[in-house]
Amino acid sequence: MPLKWLPWKWLLRRAARSHGFLDPLALMARLRRFGQPSEVAEPIELLRAGMVFHARGLINTRVIQHNLDWVWPYWIEQQFDPHSEAFLPRAFSITHVNLTHRNWTAVGRPDCTELPIVDPRGLVTPWYDGWSLDGWVLPDDGEPLYPSRTSDSQQWLETDDGVAVVSRSSRDGIELQQRARVVSEGNGSELVIDYRASAPHPAMLAVALRPYNPEGIAFIHRLRRTGDVWEVDGHRAVRFEETPEAHYASDYEHGDVAIHLHEPDGAGGEDCETGLVTGAALFRISAGGERRLRVRVPLPGPEAEPLPADAAGSWGEALAGTAALEVPDAGYRFLYDAAMRTLVLHSVADVYPGPYTYKRFWFRDAAFIIHALLAAGLTTPARRALLRFPERQTRATGYFHSQEGEWDSNGQALWIAARFTELTGEALDETWLRAIRRGAHWVARKRTDSDTSAPHAGLLPAGFSAEHLGPNDYYYWDDFWAEGGLRTAADVMEAAGRGEDARWMRAEADDLQRCLRRALENDERRLGRAAMPASPYRRLDAGAVGSLAVGYPLQRTAADDPRLLGTVEYLLERCRVHGGFFQDMIHSGVNAYLTLHMAQVLMRAGDDRCFELMDAVARLASPTGQWPEAIHPRTGGGCMGDGQHVWAAAEWVLIMRNAFLREEGEQLVLAGGVPPRWLASGEPMAFGPAPTPFGSVRVTLTPSAGGGTTVAWEAEWRRPPEAVVVAPAGRTPVTAGPEAGSVTLPGSEH
């Protein structure tokens, strides 16, 4: 009780002013004026994550720029190099963080919750947020090969036997290749790194222990070597399959171990209070010879994060019966296969939008990721993830809570639950039905008063929403999800025999739709054009991309709705860089998944420009088939978010699925997004089997005589669609009954 009477605001102001600082409360008040008044200025979860992120950035500031004679990871070597496109002046920057090459690729297994990551030059971080292992080649005479400093480097993803990342670097006849993967070992898993080094003259292969990762410094206080094992901070962390011929270590005072590798006695610093121990194990390479070495790192077992009982035991089991893509474009096929494996790796125990920066749960990302899992036939991990939704709902209010102040989550949870029943034909249990009812009531209670003259009347309150939309506002993104979630939830309740619940949910959805229509009509008059800004208080800007949700994935408007297409036209005119959607706010980069949202809207409308956007996203992918959340327009590397963004992978799976089969109401549309160049190739194509609301369907396109194409479908109908519409780009659509099984189209009309 005494704390309630403490004049803490006065004390805070007095303390700040006495030390010459600005009044922090006045500053915060001014900051809040740039957004609409909201009960939550910014989700505490994001503030916490941001503090951790920039705390590391502060450490980076103290360590990196004063020790540029160290061998640093690729992003630091580039960002601190004044000759690089990625160079950033440091001047008044309080923190030094990775803003130019946020790229990495996870390796793992469908029965392992751990996700080691590999950076663009082969630096491997075995444990979450931990230290890393690097490979170097050190000739007895001449310049060393440090992959992070070489320009001659390649990387690729192998998917023949699980997931492996291979990195190759070379210079002056020296070559180093390393292959990282996760294998099953006993009752757990381990990371395996295979090194292969060659040199024209005598040299040493070095496996180096590094106190950093792709985000920056990761402390190491102690290193011990016992035979062929490294113990790092008391853990038996690294095992060499051969005993090193030499071993060196150094502490922060003596500098990087790389400086001392040609000294007879080395630096001798295996303990470091600062936490910057570096180490190297050396293996001889004969002149003109090759040295191979395998290194193993045990990963935390199931006791760290329990493995679900229904987790797949192998890649074959995980991908069995899923939708396969067969097209004449090897690049598109590779990206699809990589995306499928990304989905599997990030949905073992829970659904995560990334292996590192975003290895935590958001309803927003989960809705899209689970939708992609369902669309591709990965039903088991989708079901498993959905089962955890009700436990994340607050019992008192019915709020599906992952981040406070984000009002899109309830609509997304309701929508994806309904989508699960549509695509699988499975009914939801009583726990889920209660959660749906509570979630719908939350939306109804949360809405603002609809009987006012305010532009936002009847909409959800101002909130932070998706962080790429801007400061707190009454975002249409939230309302479109709420309306779509209520309407689909009503269908679920109707099917479950809860007619009364279904009726009031539909009535609530109708009223919200009426309020949205009124707000959008006001916007049209205010803006002088048919388009949807991010909120009733915003001009058209990059945040308008969020309003596309009403057309994709919700399909709550007609495919040719003028406001929907007007919004896309604005974004195409004003917000494209290198062919993709450039998000000015927060992300400040080219965004793959939002580009694909635009492509999905154009695909529904039969607009060939969807293929330009799909091609742009394909070009933006990393050599390992991944997309960071936002892509630097100069370096092509990641500049925001996780370096392997699972939402982006999910969107690639979804657009490939919708290119071959999608539903429009009670019709099934086939081949509506197949690029004309694929049809012109004369090669057969196929996709499936894939779930639809009507049943499982596999689509094949086979060239026929005279330039025509036969489009066939094999289906296990639960309930046949009213019609099957075959509508490839450049061809007149053909409508057939579901029982027809195929139609033959003439050659291109363009």
Side-chain angles (χ1 to χ4, degrees):
M1 284 296 293
L3 291 176
K4 293 181 64 176
W5 301 101
L6 185 69
W8 63 270
K9 291 185 179 181
W10 179 84
L11 291 171
L12 184 61
R13 283 195 170 103
R14 182 176 177 83
R17 288 169 175 168
S18 68
H19 289 87
F21 287 95
L22 293 173
D23 180 347
L25 298 178
L27 180 62
M28 290 303 296
R30 287 189 175 274
L31 286 174
R32 290 193 181 103
R33 290 174 189 169
F34 291 100
Q36 296 291 341
S38 174
E39 63 189 81
V40 178
E42 190 172 52
I44 189 66
E45 295 85 357
L46 293 187
L47 287 173
R48 188 186 304 120
M51 290 296 291
V52 172
F53 181 81
H54 283 290
R56 187 198 302 277
L58 281 170
I59 295 169
N60 293 345
T61 302
R62 295 301 301 270
V63 176
I64 298 168
Q65 61 186 330
H66 309 106
N67 294 283
L68 291 177
D69 58 346
W70 282 43
V71 179
W72 291 107
Y74 180 60
W75 75 269
I76 294 176
E77 296 286 354
Q78 292 294 305
Q79 209 163 289
F80 284 69
D81 180 359
H83 302 290
S84 170
E85 284 278 315
F87 174 73
L88 292 179
R90 295 178 286 282
F92 296 110
S93 298
I94 298 174
T95 66
H96 294 169
V97 294
N98 185 353
L99 297 175
T100 59
H101 292 90
R102 301 186 64 80
N103 301 82
W104 44 82
T105 306
V107 292
R109 286 177 51 83
D111 59 354
C112 177
T113 58
E114 293 299 312
L115 292 168
I117 57 174
V118 186
D119 93 337
R121 288 296 186 270
L123 181 78
V124 183
T125 305
W127 298 346
Y128 175 75
D129 200 27
W131 44 262
S132 302
L133 294 173
D134 204 4
W136 306 332
V137 179
L138 313 171
D140 291 359
D141 295 298
E143 290 293 316
L145 170 61
Y146 299 126
S148 64
R149 292 181 177 177
T150 183
S151 59
D152 188 0
S153 184
Q154 303 85 39
Q155 191 173 67
W156 62 92
L157 186 76
E158 294 181 350
T159 60
D160 294 338
D161 181 24
V163 170
V165 175
V166 185
S167 310
R168 178 189 294 158
S169 298
S170 60
R171 64 169 296 168
D172 301 329
I174 302 171
E175 184 173 291
L176 173 65
Q177 179 170 301
Q178 50 204 76
R179 184 174 186 264
R181 59 197 171 100
V182 172
V183 302
S184 179
E185 177 64 24
N187 294 324
S189 299
E190 64 180 10
L191 169 70
V192 173
I193 311 172
D194 289 303
Y195 296 93
R196 187 178 72 195
S198 60
H201 306 291
M204 301 291 279
L205 165 64
V207 177
L209 179 68
R210 314 306 292 159
Y212 52 63
N213 58 43
E215 291 281 28
I217 300 301
F219 295 115
I220 301 173
H221 290 91
R222 190 178 72 179
L223 171 64
R224 295 287 185 272
R225 175 202 165 194
T226 305
D228 58 358
V229 173
W230 267 347
E231 290 187 0
V232 182
D233 288 334
H235 300 283
R236 292 176 60 86
V238 181
R239 180 165 64 88
F240 305 99
E241 290 206 341
E242 299 177 33
T243 302
E245 292 160 52
H247 172 258
Y248 292 82
S250 183
D251 56 22
Y252 182 64
E253 180 182 352
H254 291 88
D256 191 358
V257 71
I259 301 169
H260 305 286
L261 292 179
H262 285 297
E263 299 173 6
D265 300 322
E270 293 186 329
D271 295 271
C272 180
E273 290 186 4
T274 307
L276 289 171
V277 168
T278 55
L282 305 185
F283 304 84
R284 172 58 62 185
I285 307 170
S286 60
E290 179 181 273
R291 186 66 182 258
R292 294 174 182 257
L293 175 70
R294 175 167 289 180
V295 174
R296 297 178 180 271
V297 180
L299 300 177
E303 63 277 2
E305 185 171 4
L307 194 66
D310 57 357
S314 67
W315 280 104
E317 183 182 343
L319 297 172
T322 58
L325 176 69
E326 301 169 32
V327 294
D329 189 320
Y332 271 53
R333 286 199 312 272
F334 166 70
L335 292 175
Y336 179 82
D337 291 342
M340 288 286 285
R341 284 156 178 79
T342 293
L343 291 176
V344 170
L345 287 179
H346 294 81
S347 59
V348 175
D350 208 340
V351 170
Y352 299 125
Y356 184 20
T357 310
Y358 288 164
K359 196 178 180 186
R360 55 188 185 274
F361 180 85
W362 277 273
F363 279 106
R364 179 185 314 122
D365 298 72
F368 285 98
I369 295 167
I370 293 172
H371 193 206
L373 291 169
L374 291 169
L378 289 161
T379 306
T380 297
R383 182 189 299 109
R384 186 166 61 228
L386 276 170
L387 286 175
R388 300 192 66 173
F389 274 36
E391 68 190 43
R392 290 184 161 107
Q393 186 184 42
T394 60
R395 292 192 174 276
T397 65
Y399 177 39
F400 284 98
H401 175 260
S402 52
Q403 277 69 233
E404 191 64 48
E406 297 184 329
W407 311 138
D408 53 350
S409 60
N410 272 50
Q412 289 153 356
L414 298 178
W415 179 81
I416 193 59
R419 193 73 173 136
F420 174 81
T421 67
E422 279 189 321
L423 293 177
T424 65
E426 298 180 23
L428 297 176
D429 63 17
E430 186 61 32
T431 299
W432 247 113
L433 294 176
R434 286 196 300 270
I436 287 174
R437 192 172 188 277
R438 286 197 300 267
H441 277 290
W442 178 91
V443 172
R445 289 191 300 269
K446 200 71 179 177
R447 291 176 58 198
T448 59
D449 186 358
S450 61
D451 294 326
T452 72
S453 59
H456 64 268
L459 305 185
L460 287 169
F464 191 65
S465 191
E467 82 282 348
H468 56 268
L469 300 182
N472 285 352
D473 213 330
Y474 298 89
Y475 286 113
Y476 288 131
W477 165 272
D478 297 338
D479 299 292
F480 287 143
W481 278 109
E483 192 270 340
L486 285 169
R487 210 166 288 282
T488 54
D491 294 337
V492 171
M493 301 306 270
E494 189 79 57
R498 311 292 175 87
E500 184 176 344
D501 286 331
R503 283 188 290 275
W504 79 257
M505 287 179 190
R506 289 195 182 101
E508 190 71 26
D510 289 343
D511 189 64
L512 179 51
Q513 186 181 47
R514 175 184 62 82
C515 295
L516 278 164
R517 187 182 300 114
R518 178 177 59 190
L520 292 169
E521 288 171 354
N522 289 338
D523 288 334
E524 192 168 341
R525 290 190 291 270
R526 176 171 62 89
L527 299 171
R529 61 186 293 179
M532 299 178 292
S535 91
Y537 296 96
R538 289 269 285 277
R539 300 180 297 276
L540 284 173
D541 55 30
V545 72
S547 299
L548 298 183
V550 71
Y552 170 82
L554 294 170
Q555 294 189 344
R556 291 295 306 141
T557 63
D560 59 353
D561 179 82
R563 292 194 189 103
L564 178 65
L565 298 184
T567 307
V568 173
E569 288 298 336
Y570 170 82
L571 297 171
L572 289 171
E573 293 166 8
R574 302 291 295 274
C575 304
R576 274 208 291 180
V577 173
H578 302 318
F581 170 73
F582 184 85
Q583 177 52 287
D584 288 302
M585 289 169 282
I586 309 295
H587 290 189
S588 61
V590 184
N591 187 289
Y593 61 88
L594 295 175
T595 302
L596 292 176
H597 284 201
M598 293 167 59
Q600 291 272 19
V601 171
L602 293 174
M603 183 189 295
R604 284 189 68 208
D607 190 322
D608 287 2
R609 289 176 295 176
C610 68
F611 305 122
E612 298 174 16
L613 298 177
M614 290 161 61
D615 288 341
V617 172
R619 289 194 301 271
L620 290 167
S622 75
T624 58
Q626 312 299 330
W627 296 272
E629 182 170 31
I631 297 166
H632 194 294
R634 299 287 293 277
T635 69
C639 61
M640 158 59 180
D642 211 297
Q644 181 178 3
H645 199 53
V646 185
W647 184 353
E651 291 296 350
W652 190 258
V653 169
L654 286 164
I655 203 163
M656 291 297 100
R657 184 262 192 188
N658 288 354
F660 280 85
L661 69 159
R662 74 173 194 273
E663 59 272 18
E664 289 284 347
E666 289 300 309
Q667 294 185 336
L668 186 64
V669 180
L670 304 183
V674 173
R677 66 178 183 271
W678 294 358
L679 293 169
S681 73
E683 296 184 39
M685 290 171 272
F687 184 82
T692 75
F694 313 110
S696 179
V697 180
R698 183 174 187 270
V699 182
T700 59
L701 283 74
T702 307
S704 57
T709 302
T710 297
V711 180
W713 55 94
E714 303 170 38
E716 297 178 3
W717 303 121
R718 285 196 308 274
R719 58 177 186 89
E722 291 179 357
V724 175
V725 180
V726 181
R731 313 290 178 96
T732 300
V734 175
T735 301
E739 72 286 348
S742 69
V743 299
T744 299
L745 303 172
S748 173
E749 299 165 9
H750 289 182

